[in-house]
Amino acid sequence: SFTNYLKPFPFPSSDTLVINRDTTKNFIAVKLGDVNYDRDPTKNSAYRSKSAPMQFYYDTVLVNGGAGTVVKVQIRSKKAQEVMGFQFTLNWDRSQLQFDSIANNVLGVFFGDRWKDEGMLTVSWNDPTAQRRNLKADELLFELVYKASNQLSRTSLKLGDEKIAREAFDGKYMQLGLQLDAAPIIKMNAMPEGSNSAMRVYPNPASNKISVEFAAKNDAEGKLRVVDAIGRTIYESKITIKKGINIFPIELKPTISTTSYNIQLIQGIEVQTKKVLLNLLK
């Protein structure tokens, strides 16, 4: 309460609440500042940045053991990007994965595991000194540790808004979208004989250098092909596929076109296709 609610300041910014066995104490949190005006829903959209969304990713995870096997998922920055803070709810299939902990917390994220048994984790981060952070492409942010269940076959992680809404802020306090490029988490014996997991192409959009990643159940020979919008092959290379995770770089010669292309992974009669936007201007 305030003696004069029209002139509430100065207002104490901290207090001490002692809790022993008494768990019935109540308190009211007071927001003392509003950096980006999101308290006012009529102004929120006006301050949203038009910049590209913040993008995270993790590589394909191949699980070789049974129930209780440790599954580590490394969350990385997909591109060079400036960040002041972010938050999101992370979702997974609780019948296939059981959350254990966060390791290699390089960025120092805060996380809440209150809903871990429901397949949800709350994640947030902001620089404690209110300074912007310049993330590098492929920089490790933190690592999620799960244990495989008996039902694990093929799954992936997803961003959600259930407990805390996903949002990110750049160095100018502008609100950005937030995306997670989710690769498959696969148990090896769940893959058909000789097959490959869904491939991941990164970065996307890209310049003339891209990488293709997938998991294979067996050693094999194959091809990587890049096809333009009218079906012309502009790149083709024979590849030797190894059992497990495979990563193949592709470097294209600069041209005068900027458009979408199809990356094709060919193994026998199996062909996987992924669309990618390439900027190949000289």
Side-chain angles (χ1 to χ4, degrees):
S1 61
F2 305 96
T3 304
N4 182 350
Y5 69 89
L6 294 176
K7 296 181 179 180
F9 299 101
F11 184 84
S13 59
S14 65
D15 204 346
T16 301
L17 190 66
V18 179
I19 299 177
N20 293 319
R21 296 183 179 180
D22 180 5
T23 59
T24 61
K25 295 184 183 295
N26 297 315
F27 64 92
I28 297 174
V30 178
K31 187 173 183 177
L32 297 180
D34 188 17
V35 173
N36 68 337
Y37 300 97
D38 65 356
R39 66 175 177 83
D40 186 343
T42 65
K43 294 182 179 180
N44 188 31
S45 59
Y47 288 85
R48 187 180 298 272
S49 173
K50 296 181 180 179
S51 301
M54 188 170 297
Q55 295 175 293
F56 300 153
Y57 79 92
Y58 64 89
D59 291 327
T60 300
V61 179
L62 211 57
V63 183
N64 290 301
T69 300
V70 173
V71 179
K72 295 183 178 181
V73 182
Q74 293 188 335
I75 305 298
R76 297 179 178 273
S77 174
K78 188 174 180 181
K79 59 184 180 180
Q81 49 195 339
E82 183 184 75
V83 57
M84 187 74 77
F86 60 80
Q87 66 176 39
F88 55 86
T89 304
L90 186 71
N91 293 270
W92 63 89
D93 184 347
R94 60 180 178 174
S95 69
Q96 300 199 58
L97 296 173
Q98 300 166 355
F99 178 74
D100 181 80
S101 60
I102 284 188
N104 294 323
N105 193 353
V106 179
L107 198 61
V109 300
F110 299 94
F111 69 97
D113 60 2
R114 176 179 175 184
W115 296 281
K116 66 179 182 179
D117 293 336
E118 300 176 37
M120 287 183 286
L121 188 76
T122 56
V123 180
S124 67
W125 175 84
N126 66 278
D127 187 277
T129 61
Q131 300 297 312
R132 70 193 69 179
R133 175 77 174 262
N134 292 312
L135 302 178
K136 299 177 182 178
D138 304 318
E139 181 177 349
L140 175 64
L141 306 181
F142 56 93
E143 186 175 61
L144 298 158
V145 182
Y146 293 91
K147 290 185 178 178
S149 72
N150 284 319
Q151 287 72 40
L152 177 62
S153 58
R154 181 189 182 95
T155 188
S156 60
L157 308 182
K158 298 179 181 178
L159 294 188
D161 305 290
E162 293 84 352
K163 302 305 177 183
I164 54 174
R166 80 192 88 175
E167 59 184 28
F169 295 88
D170 63 17
K172 297 178 181 179
Y173 299 98
M174 293 295 181
Q175 187 174 348
L176 305 173
L178 188 62
Q179 295 179 356
L180 175 66
D181 187 354
I185 300 171
I186 313 170
K187 192 170 183 179
M188 279 293 287
N189 61 13
M191 295 175 62
E193 194 70 24
S195 72
N196 299 317
S197 72
M199 66 174 174
R200 190 173 72 86
V201 178
Y202 60 93
N204 188 7
S207 58
N208 65 314
K209 295 181 180 180
I210 52 179
S211 295
V212 176
E213 177 195 11
F214 59 91
K217 191 167 183 178
N218 301 101
D219 294 344
E221 297 298 319
K223 291 181 180 179
L224 279 177
R225 182 181 295 157
V226 180
V227 181
D228 68 12
I230 61 175
R232 295 177 301 184
T233 298
I234 66 169
Y235 173 92
E236 184 173 292
S237 176
K238 293 182 179 180
I239 57 174
T240 299
I241 300 171
K242 300 295 185 181
K243 179 180 178 180
I245 304 296
N246 290 263
I247 301 176
F248 293 100
I250 296 177
E251 185 168 355
L252 303 174
K253 294 181 180 179
T255 68
I256 58 172
S257 61
T258 304
T259 185
S260 62
Y261 293 80
N262 286 319
I263 311 294
Q264 295 180 341
L265 169 62
I266 304 165
Q267 180 185 340
I269 61 173
E270 180 185 357
V271 180
Q272 289 194 53
T273 301
K274 186 83 170 182
K275 183 173 288 186
V276 60
L277 182 66
L278 298 177
N279 183 350
L280 303 180
L281 292 176
K282 290 182 179 179

